[in-house]
Amino acid sequence: MKITVFTSNQPRHISLINKLAAISETVYAIQECNTVFPGQVADFFKKSEVMQAYFANVMRAEKKIFGDLSFFGKNVKLLPIKSGDLNFLSERQLSEALDSDVFIVFGASYIKGWLIDFLVGKEAINIHMGLSPFYRGSSCNFWAVYDGRPELVGATIHMLSKGLDSGPMLFHALPLLAEDADPFEFTMKAVDVAQTSLVERIESGEIRQFERVPQDRALEIRYTRNMDFNDDVALRFLQRNIGYEELKSILDSVKRPTLLMPFYA
């Protein structure tokens, strides 16, 4: 089996590539690169003291769950590009990666043009970090915790579509709250559960057996864009200092909405 994945370059993205490499003959990884020091270096997110403090927590949680930056196995064929360059690539440049059995998108920029047509035609799968249709857009799990809705932290595995996070859903993946976990570790654990569940179901062949369920936009709580996450929002979140006990209290007291074939870990 050959797998092509469109992703990014943080430890969590490297983790997915390596998980896929463990179940396949070859992984073609088109890796859009941003700074690995968000908040400290101006890039996808601005450089500021607040962003540096916020992303120090993100990087701590990411390292705890996924480890540090690392190299890839021998069966990974890597094409690193600058974030934002993806839609300028030609079919010729990607030709070797277009003959795979499975196509996955996780953390890539918005895909347009011939490439989105090709991927939709190949029934590519997207990992959306957020529980659709409730939270869509950018940084969804952050916003779920920010809204006091940790029961809506998780991931949606769905079919890629031309619309952002709008394709038919296959299943939801949700993290269990580990002892003493803070919101950063809890939301990062959601990434691990999403990857693990998808890889297991690709390896078993089960992924192609799931019913494809359209998303009900009437259930949407938030649709967020990158610009919505700014210094003021991040500072308010940090000052609230949400901890394990508060997360546990909420999770113990609320009922989750109806989810699609939920996978917990």
Side-chain angles (χ1 to χ4, degrees):
M1 175 169 56
K2 294 186 292 185
I3 299 175
T4 293
V5 58
F6 295 84
T7 189
S8 190
N9 65 317
Q10 308 298 326
R12 60 189 180 273
H13 305 108
I14 294 171
S15 171
L16 175 61
I17 295 170
N18 285 329
K19 286 186 177 80
L20 293 169
I23 65 164
S24 61
E25 172 192 344
T26 305
V27 171
Y28 297 95
I30 295 84
Q31 189 180 50
E32 294 187 274
C33 297
N34 295 298
T35 181
V36 294
F37 303 103
Q40 300 179 55
V41 177
D43 197 344
F44 189 78
F45 296 100
K46 65 178 287 188
K47 176 183 177 181
S48 70
E49 290 184 6
V50 173
M51 287 298 174
Q52 187 169 340
Y54 177 85
F55 281 105
N57 284 287
V58 172
M59 293 165 68
R60 167 185 54 78
E62 186 173 34
K63 187 174 182 179
K64 180 175 180 178
I65 293 172
F66 294 107
D68 212 335
L69 292 167
S70 63
F71 293 99
F72 301 100
K74 292 181 180 179
N75 61 331
V76 175
K77 304 194 75 171
L78 184 67
L79 179 63
I81 61 173
K82 188 179 186 301
S83 182
D85 285 354
L86 181 58
N87 291 312
F88 293 98
L89 296 177
S90 68
E91 290 186 59
R92 179 187 59 79
Q93 290 168 322
L94 285 177
S95 60
E96 191 175 357
L98 301 181
D99 190 34
S100 290
D101 304 290
V102 179
F103 293 85
I104 297 169
V105 177
F106 170 56
S109 58
Y110 187 56
I111 303 174
K112 300 182 291 185
W114 74 267
L115 184 54
I116 189 63
D117 291 334
F118 174 86
L119 292 174
V120 169
K122 286 290 186 177
E123 299 187 322
I125 296 167
N126 186 61
I127 302 176
H128 167 57
M129 291 314 307
L131 289 186
S132 293
F134 311 105
Y135 281 84
R136 297 175 56 245
S138 176
S139 304
C140 292
N141 286 329
F142 164 82
W143 288 106
V145 177
Y146 186 90
D147 289 343
R149 302 294 300 270
E151 76 278 10
L152 293 179
V153 166
T156 309
I157 311 302
H158 67 91
M159 305 306 297
L160 186 68
S161 66
K162 291 186 177 182
L164 184 64
D165 304 330
S166 60
M169 301 178 295
L170 301 177
F171 67 91
H172 290 112
L174 300 102
L176 299 175
L177 182 65
E179 190 71 28
D180 294 328
D182 63 18
F184 295 95
E185 294 169 5
F186 182 55
T187 54
M188 195 62 69
K189 179 66 184 303
V191 182
D192 188 41
V193 178
Q195 295 180 5
T196 299
S197 59
L198 177 58
V199 170
E200 285 185 5
R201 288 169 169 179
I202 289 174
E203 185 177 27
S204 69
E206 186 182 5
I207 192 67
R208 296 304 184 190
Q209 300 170 15
F210 283 103
E211 180 185 358
R212 301 176 183 185
V213 179
Q215 299 195 33
D216 183 356
R217 295 290 294 273
L219 298 175
E220 187 175 293
I221 296 172
R222 267 192 191 265
Y223 182 95
T224 46
R225 296 173 172 81
N226 294 331
M227 68 181 68
D228 297 322
F229 181 74
N230 54 38
D231 275 10
D232 290 340
V233 168
L235 182 59
R236 283 198 294 271
F237 185 80
L238 291 171
Q239 289 175 337
R240 285 165 61 186
N241 196 28
I242 300 167
Y244 168 78
E245 293 298 337
E246 184 174 346
L247 289 175
K248 186 176 187 303
S249 176
I250 296 173
L251 290 171
D252 287 346
S253 64
V254 298
K255 182 180 180 181
R256 292 187 191 270
T258 301
L259 298 174
L260 190 62
M261 301 293 291
F263 183 107
Y264 292 90

